[in-house]
Amino acid sequence: MNQAPVMWMRGGTSKGGYFLASDIPADEAERAAFLLGVMGSPDPAQIDGMGGADPLTSKVAVVRKSDRPGVDVDYLFLQVFVDQPIVSDAQNCGNILAAVGPFAIERHLVQPTGDVTQVTIFMENTGQIAVASVETPADEIGKRAVNYFGSARIDGVPGTHAPIPIEFRDTAGSSCGALLPTGNAFDMIDGVACTLIDNGMPCVVFKAADVGATGYETRDMLESEAMAPVRARIEAIRLQAGPLMNLGDVAEKSVPKMTLVAPPQHGGTVTTRVFIPKRAHASIGVLGAVTAATACLVPGSPAAEVASVPEGSTKSLSIEHPSGEMTCVMKVNTAGEVESAALLRTARKLMDGVVYV
C-alpha cells in the first residue's frame, strides 16, 4: 500500500492523521511500516513525511464502526516515534480522542442526532469507554454537520472553537490493572517518593523538588543541557517503575509518563511538568491530567502534599502546566474513590485527502 485516504485533525493540544481501519493495512507490521512512511520517521525533522518533528504532532487515530453493544466506534491510538522506527499502541491519547467523535461523524460512521450528537467511543488501547458531545447544528435545509466554530478556549491552542466535553468511564487501572498497581500511595525509587498510578494513563508522580527541579521550568529549560542530570535521574526512576506498574521493560515504551508536581502557582490545584516520557510536554495530556488530578486525591501521596484540593463530592481540579491549565471535573464517592472524570476539549478539521508513501 502506498496511499490511503486520511483526515488530518487537531485534537486538543495534539494533531495527527485519522484513518478508517479499512483504509490501512490490518497486519501490525505492515501498518507500522506504512505509518512510519506517512510521518517520515525515523528522522528528527520528519522532513519526508507529514509529522511535525514533535511527539505531539506525530500521532495517529485508527477508527472503525463498533460491533460492541452501546458503543458507536472503536478507536485505536498509535504513537509514531519521531526519530526511532517505532509505532506504539502502549497508551491512550485523550487529546487525539477529542477529534474522534467529529471524524466519526464526518466519515458517516455516526449519524447526527440533533444539535449535539453524543459519540460513545471504545478506546482499544485500554478497553475503556469515553463519551464525546459534538455540536451538529442544522443548516438552512436541515442538513446536520459537525461545527468546529465557537467560543470555547483551551490552553495550548490559539483562538476559540466549538466545545467538545468528554466524559471518561471506568479508566482506573486501564493499562496497569489497578489504579495503584503496587497498592501504595507512594513507593521509594532511588530515594524519591513516587506515586505509581493509572487512571487512564500510566504515570509516575513525584515532587519536582525531589529530583532537583522546581516544577516551574519552561519546556526549553527542561530540555536544556543544564537539566541533563535531572532528566537522567527521571529516566532512571522510570525504568525501575515500569516493572512495578506491570508494564515490563519500558526502555522502548512511551509509558509511563513522568509527572513532576509542585504547589500551584496561578490559583489552581497543582502545578505539573511532564515528560512523555523523554521529551518535555508543552502542556499535559488529557488522560495524564486526569491521572495527575487523581493522584492529588490519594491521601499521603506526594501530589496530595503539594496540592490545593477543593471540598465536596464533585471537585473541579485545575491542573497547571507550561502553557496554562486543564480543569478536570472529578466525582468521588463516600470512600473518596474517583467514580468519573470529565473535561473540555476542542478539535478542528485541518485537511481531508490522500496521503502518499
Side-chain angles (χ1 to χ4, degrees):
M1 175 178 288
N2 59 7
Q3 66 183 68
V6 66
M7 189 173 290
W8 224 260
M9 307 187 79
R10 177 188 60 78
T13 55
S14 295
K15 65 180 176 181
Y18 288 68
F19 295 88
L20 292 176
S22 56
D23 287 334
I24 62 175
D27 178 79
E28 187 173 323
E30 292 180 12
R31 182 183 68 199
F34 176 74
L35 294 176
L36 288 167
V38 167
M39 291 296 183
S41 298
D43 170 31
Q46 290 184 318
I47 198 67
D48 198 36
M50 296 291 290
D54 189 293
L56 301 182
T57 59
S58 189
K59 298 184 173 187
V60 168
V62 181
V63 183
R64 72 184 81 227
K65 193 169 184 63
S66 183
D67 294 327
R68 306 171 198 275
V71 175
D72 294 308
V73 294
D74 295 345
Y75 150 59
L76 175 68
F77 169 70
L78 297 171
Q79 178 72 60
V80 182
F81 283 49
V82 174
D83 55 0
Q84 299 179 65
I86 297 173
V87 177
S88 173
D89 64 356
Q91 66 179 74
N92 268 330
C93 179
N95 276 305
I96 291 295
L97 168 70
V100 169
F103 175 76
I105 296 169
E106 294 269 10
R107 287 289 192 256
H108 309 296
L109 301 180
V110 174
Q111 297 303 313
T113 56
D115 288 342
V116 175
T117 299
Q118 288 197 328
V119 182
T120 303
I121 303 163
F122 179 81
M123 297 178 283
E124 292 187 36
N125 302 74
T126 55
Q128 308 302 317
I129 288 176
V131 180
S133 297
V134 182
E135 291 188 0
T136 49
D139 61 16
E140 62 276 3
I141 62 172
K143 183 178 180 181
R144 296 188 179 277
V146 176
N147 172 52
Y148 296 99
F149 302 97
S151 58
R153 183 187 302 275
I154 61 173
D155 287 330
V157 177
T160 63
H161 305 83
I164 303 178
I166 301 177
E167 178 189 357
F168 296 96
R169 300 175 179 172
D170 302 322
T171 52
S174 55
S175 295
C176 300
L179 177 68
L180 300 170
T182 67
N184 302 321
F186 67 89
D187 295 271
M188 297 300 296
I189 303 177
D190 281 357
V192 176
C194 301
T195 298
L196 312 184
I197 186 169
D198 171 18
N199 196 11
M201 178 63 68
C203 294
V204 180
V205 183
F206 49 94
K207 294 178 184 177
D210 287 349
V211 294
T214 67
Y216 308 118
E217 291 86 355
T218 65
R219 186 187 196 189
D220 287 344
M221 290 170 62
L222 290 171
E223 295 194 337
S224 69
E225 186 61 31
M227 295 290 286
V230 172
R231 293 196 302 274
R233 189 174 186 190
I234 292 171
E235 179 64 5
I237 292 171
R238 190 179 79 88
L239 295 177
Q240 295 173 69
L244 297 175
M245 300 179 74
N246 303 316
L247 297 171
D249 182 357
V250 297
E252 300 299 326
K253 293 182 179 179
S254 56
V255 288
K257 309 301 187 190
M258 305 302 286
T259 305
L260 292 69
V261 294
Q265 196 174 30
H266 303 291
T269 299
V270 70
T271 292
T272 61
R273 295 294 186 266
V274 179
F275 284 88
I276 54 172
K278 299 177 183 180
R279 291 285 305 276
H281 203 304
S283 55
I284 190 171
V286 168
L287 290 165
V290 169
T291 300
T294 305
C296 294
L297 303 179
V298 176
S301 71
E305 291 181 1
V306 299
S308 177
V309 178
E311 299 292 330
S313 59
T314 299
K315 304 175 186 292
S316 292
L317 276 64
S318 172
I319 309 302
E320 299 178 359
H321 56 73
S323 54
E325 68 86 38
M326 187 183 300
T327 296
C328 302
V329 180
M330 318 290 283
K331 291 183 180 180
V332 298
N333 60 23
T334 54
E337 300 166 332
V338 175
E339 292 186 332
S340 69
L343 41 76
L344 179 71
R345 295 281 84 189
T346 67
R348 189 164 79 89
K349 179 169 65 172
L350 303 174
M351 184 278 297
D352 189 2
V354 177
V355 66
Y356 296 88
V357 175

